[in-house]
Amino acid sequence: MAWASRWTDSALGGEQPLDPTPPRVNPLRKQPVREILDVGVRAINGLLTLGRGQRVGLMAGSGVGKSVLLGLITRQTVADVVVVGLIGERGREVREFIDMSLGAEGLARAVVVTAPADESPLMRIRATELCHAIAAHFRDQGQHVLLLVDSLTRYAMARREVALALGSNPSSARARTKPRRWPTRWPASRS
């Protein structure tokens, strides 16, 4: 497990050749959630029991302790590998998360991919996709993997920045196929 206890601040980093495109999963072939996932936080285990293979979003305002909770979950979850993506965070926050929230105990079985806020939108997108590819790599080897990405909002903002730079509307399905053509003449306004 050459990736464990490593972190990279570039979506192009890594020591093994790995396809950085996120895997496509057919939802009809996905196994049903049957096993409980112990995240090591009693409040979550008791009130919001999570299952292996389940997808969960953690949404809260700034400054309420999401990163602290992610650090607890990273250190205490019963999983073979934990992949953590810190996307769009400030450099200081990345260092604090690795040193204080994650610590040596959490870093021992974690792979941390970072793309700080000062990186380009393309690097933030690639780093998020790399997190998914790393998690899929370990999953395909038969290991239990926990994938945490902080923050998907900043990933969506990076996708929006790229779409706007390409001249397409980022919120439409058309944005993925071809850019919108603007009218050359605007219709006369009716009074």
Side-chain angles (χ1 to χ4, degrees):
M1 192 163 97
W3 286 88
S5 302
R6 304 290 170 94
W7 65 281
T8 177
D9 63 353
S10 170
L12 300 175
E15 298 178 2
Q16 298 177 1
L18 186 66
D19 183 12
T21 57
R24 301 213 181 262
V25 178
N26 183 346
L28 298 176
R29 292 197 175 132
K30 194 169 182 261
Q31 297 296 318
V33 176
R34 292 198 171 116
E35 293 180 53
I36 293 176
L37 176 66
D38 181 9
V39 295
V41 180
R42 285 191 224 172
I44 294 175
N45 287 340
L47 299 174
L48 179 69
T49 305
L50 303 177
R52 282 192 198 273
Q54 180 178 356
R55 292 181 173 99
V56 177
L58 173 64
M59 292 161 227
S62 59
V64 296
K66 293 183 299 291
S67 295
V68 173
L69 182 60
L70 288 179
L72 280 171
I73 290 172
T74 302
R75 287 192 315 268
Q76 298 176 5
T77 297
V78 179
D80 299 327
V81 180
V82 180
V83 180
V84 180
L86 300 174
I87 310 302
E89 300 288 329
R90 292 186 284 270
R92 171 185 55 83
E93 292 170 343
V94 170
R95 175 53 62 191
E96 286 176 9
F97 181 84
I98 291 171
D99 291 342
M100 295 179 192
S101 296
L102 200 57
E105 176 188 352
L107 194 57
R109 61 190 175 103
V111 177
V112 182
V113 177
T114 65
D118 58 351
E119 290 283 350
S120 71
L122 288 174
M123 291 302 284
R124 294 192 304 262
I125 291 169
R126 296 223 26 209
T128 306
E129 292 173 353
L130 181 64
C131 291
H132 287 84
I134 292 170
H137 170 75
F138 286 118
R139 180 203 62 209
D140 293 343
Q141 290 182 345
Q143 297 182 342
H144 293 291
V145 181
L146 175 66
L147 171 63
L148 303 169
V149 178
D150 183 13
S151 136
L152 284 177
T153 301
R154 293 191 182 114
Y155 168 73
M157 288 170 47
R159 298 288 304 215
R160 181 178 186 276
E161 288 178 44
V162 170
L164 289 173
L166 293 173
S168 62
N169 184 356
S171 64
S172 72
R174 247 179 146 163
R176 287 180 234 115
T177 56
K178 60 182 177 180
R180 181 176 176 175
R181 296 175 64 72
W182 295 100
T184 54
R185 272 188 35 216
W186 295 99
S189 62
R190 296 182 185 178
S191 301

